[in-house]
Amino acid sequence: MIQENEIGGKSNRALKVDDYFVSPYSSALVWFGICTFLVAVFLASQLGVQAKFFDNMPLEKQPGLWSAIGIIGMLIFGFFQIVQFWFHRNGLQAPGFVSEALIWLRAAEYVLWFMAYVYLVPVVGYLPTTIGFLMLMTWRLGYRHRLYFGFAALSGLLIVVIFKSFLQVKIPGGALYEYLPDMVRSFAILYL
Amino acid sequence: MELLLTSLSALARIDVAIALLIGSVGGVIIGAIPGVGPAIAIAILLPATFALEPIVGLTLLLGIYGSSMYGGAIPAILINAPGTAVNALTTYDGYPMTKRGEATKALSLAFGASFCGAIISIVALMCLSPVLAAVAPMFGSREIFLAALLGMILVVVTHRGQALAAGALLCFGIFINTVGLEPIRYTQRYTFEQAWLASGIDLIVVVLGLFALSQAFLLLVGKDEHNKPPALVGRLFDGLRDVLRLPKIVLPSAGFGVVMGMIPGVGEFLAQFFSYSLARKTSGNGKNFGKGAPEGLIASETANNAVPAAAMIPLLALGIPGEALTAMMLAVFYVHNVIPGPQLFANDFDFILSLYMALLILNVLAFAFLLGTTKWITQVVRIPNRFLGMVILILSFVGVFSLRNSIIDCAIAAAFGMLGLMLKRLNLPIVPIILGMVLGGIMEVKFRTSMARVQTPFDFIERPVAQVLFAIIVIVLVAHIYSLFRAKKSEDLEA
């Protein structure tokens, strides 16, 4: 939530564009900048190997030209970003790198949930997996009231009906649907 | 007139009507939910629109884009949390009005201003279209290359105080776009002999990761906020009448929206910012700005809703998206083999007019929908953030997996989701990556085709339009360096 109109109101000073764009320098930001710069250095070391440059070929047709432009740009901007960090090293603000990295790690748990869901849909089927996952995640997130489980199941059903049954997006029927009775099977594969 | 009727007849279809209705109503609701926003909704819906005809798919996406800002004003005004990023300035005067017990008045002014901004913008662009149709064919490969370059430069310089990070991320986007098999000698670029990288990294996978999955992760690791919107009493229609009584605020604000929307890489925020600053100086009520001044609210809402129609101009006329949402829409064109650019203006002008008519209709629909349902829509702010994150996570799957049923695409999207989370947590911009990918791809192709006819570097800017674009690029760079110099000087003086 935005804090009490600190920019336009109470301080009554002129509004500046920088007020919205400038982020406070934190040690997490510095580490992020250094890591991305190192990635750019690694990519640059692969120029010529991973992106080819041929002799006697005009510059505009060189396969590696635009990869090189991207990487060199990352190196230049990244280098000056680190220089800028250096000049602001005394004004570093929270969050620190460790506390921020822990939040990133917490998010990694949901990457696993997402990938598990991705793996299970083609096996179990879109509708059962979606409803099952939403119910399970509702429980994982700490909601215990029956209303939340009801909303989770309803959301799952609506998602499947809108996207697969109505909009016909390309999501394959679950392998387990093959074991359903003949009459239901084709319907389940096409719409659920 | 005949052209207008032809374009209207293209919309007189049941599927287009449904798309208009779902887009406008859906956009309002999505905009009203803090933490969702149009980018996420468009990213998720994008693959689903590939099966639809271009006019239907684009109408749906335009509906979400155009009407989400109406909805975004609701939480900005009622609970001080902007529904979309571009409603940030709306909180400055909208929320103090709510605290004074004027929530209904603030909402009605916001809706009225949004409606006026959108209509003025659409009418202006419809009148301007013949001029654009005449100018667009003057853009050849060199001019489009220079326009894309200008877009890139503007993306970097408009991220004030973050220009270095924006530049690095833009270049990262250019790099990602090159991964995979290149089309000249069919060599692999940065695939590290991995077969799954040979087809490259799909823009939609990146978009879904950076916008939708990252937001899901962000909401899931956060805390639930227990928002309770205040009860609304009174009529919402009166705001439109009050807004129309302030043409000195409305017209310049809409003008800022139109102009800023047309310039690639600038977008809603700066339009809103400049119109708010101007209104503060000219309204005669400047001292109350930030404390609940209706003029401030009107200025910011008029400007941000004037942008979507204008933002379609560089996309339709030149094939150059100015920001992330139009970059996503470009994918819809490509899927249907409709190549936006000068030829589209020359050959399918009725299609362009149809899109503008659709924008006009969906604004009327969104406005009418809000007048009747705002009291109920306000309740969406009660949805717990983490519950919302969970639903976005599941919805993101549809967008990624339905592209080509690839688990690897989902893994790539998840990786970009993590990157997006880090960028959002560190308050770094995401949009430059998307624009780097799209504009980088355009520039690569246009550079190759234009160099075939270029002997010396000066040949590149021998035509008038290219000269104008080159001059603008130089002016933007000089102005940016000058502003940096001035900022440093004032910083030194303050110290």
Side-chain angles (χ1 to χ4, degrees), chain B residues 245-256:
Chain B
R245 283 180 187 152
L246 290 168
K248 276 187 193 167
I249 305 289
V250 174
L251 290 174
S253 302
F256 272 120

Side-chain angles (χ1 to χ4, degrees), chain A:
Chain A
M1 234 187 245
I2 286 185
Q3 295 303 309
E4 283 289 312
N5 302 332
E6 70 279 17
I7 294 163
K10 285 183 176 172
S11 67
N12 211 28
R13 69 179 169 85
L15 212 58
K16 286 182 177 177
V17 182
D18 291 4
D19 293 326
Y20 303 92
F21 288 111
V22 179
S23 50
Y25 288 97
S26 65
S27 60
L29 186 63
V30 175
W31 278 105
F32 184 79
I34 291 169
C35 289
T36 48
F37 180 73
L38 290 176
V39 170
V41 170
F42 168 73
L43 292 173
S45 73
Q46 300 298 306
L47 266 172
V49 182
Q50 289 296 330
K52 300 277 188 296
F53 287 88
F54 294 98
D55 294 335
N56 303 321
M57 185 184 254
L59 179 72
E60 69 273 13
K61 290 184 179 165
Q62 290 288 354
L65 175 69
W66 285 87
S67 302
I69 289 173
I71 293 166
I72 292 167
M74 283 162 72
L75 283 173
I76 294 170
F77 284 113
F79 173 76
F80 285 110
Q81 177 88 75
I82 291 171
V83 171
Q84 200 179 43
F85 288 152
W86 175 257
F87 283 114
H88 287 83
R89 66 190 183 281
N90 294 328
L92 289 182
Q93 294 177 21
F97 178 70
V98 176
S99 65
E100 188 58 29
L102 284 173
I103 292 171
W104 299 346
L105 265 179
R106 270 172 53 208
E109 179 201 333
Y110 298 104
V111 174
L112 296 178
W113 277 89
F114 179 70
M115 289 314 294
Y117 175 69
V118 168
Y119 274 102
L120 282 174
V121 167
V123 180
V124 182
Y126 191 33
L127 180 70
T129 315
T130 304
I131 292 178
F133 252 77
L134 282 170
M135 303 278 271
L136 211 59
M137 280 192 83
T138 303
W139 181 81
R140 161 67 188 89
L141 292 173
Y143 300 113
R144 293 292 181 267
H145 198 283
R146 273 182 301 178
L147 202 66
Y148 285 109
F149 289 96
F151 276 130
L154 187 68
S155 307
L157 183 69
L158 277 175
I159 289 169
V160 175
V161 168
I162 290 171
F163 284 95
K164 184 150 187 192
S165 315
F166 180 65
L167 287 172
Q168 294 278 298
V169 294
K170 288 187 294 174
I171 294 173
L176 288 183
Y177 288 174
E178 295 296 334
Y179 299 101
L180 290 170
D182 286 348
M183 279 178 67
V184 190
R185 190 171 57 225
S186 55
F187 178 81
I189 290 171
L190 280 175
Y191 299 107
L192 307 175

Side-chain angles (χ1 to χ4, degrees), chain B residues 308-322:
Chain B
M312 294 300 287
I313 286 292
L315 177 72
L316 294 170
L318 306 176
I320 296 172

Side-chain angles (χ1 to χ4, degrees), chain B residues 258-277:
Chain B
V258 172
V259 174
M260 297 286 176
M262 279 199 279
I263 303 171
V266 177
E268 291 100 349
F269 187 80
L270 285 183
Q272 200 184 32
F273 175 83
F274 287 127
S275 57
Y276 187 86
S277 301

Side-chain angles (χ1 to χ4, degrees), chain B residues 70 81 85 90 98 122 125 160 233 250 300 311 315 318 333 363 366 370 390 394 409 411 429 435 442-443 453 495:
Chain B
Y70 285 92
T90 307
T98 298
I122 296 163
L125 292 166
R160 300 260 312 208
V233 185
V250 174
S300 59
L315 177 72
L318 306 176
F333 282 100
N363 272 287
L370 276 164
M390 174 181 87
I394 297 298
D409 277 350
L435 288 183
I442 292 170
M443 284 172 75
R453 275 161 275 162

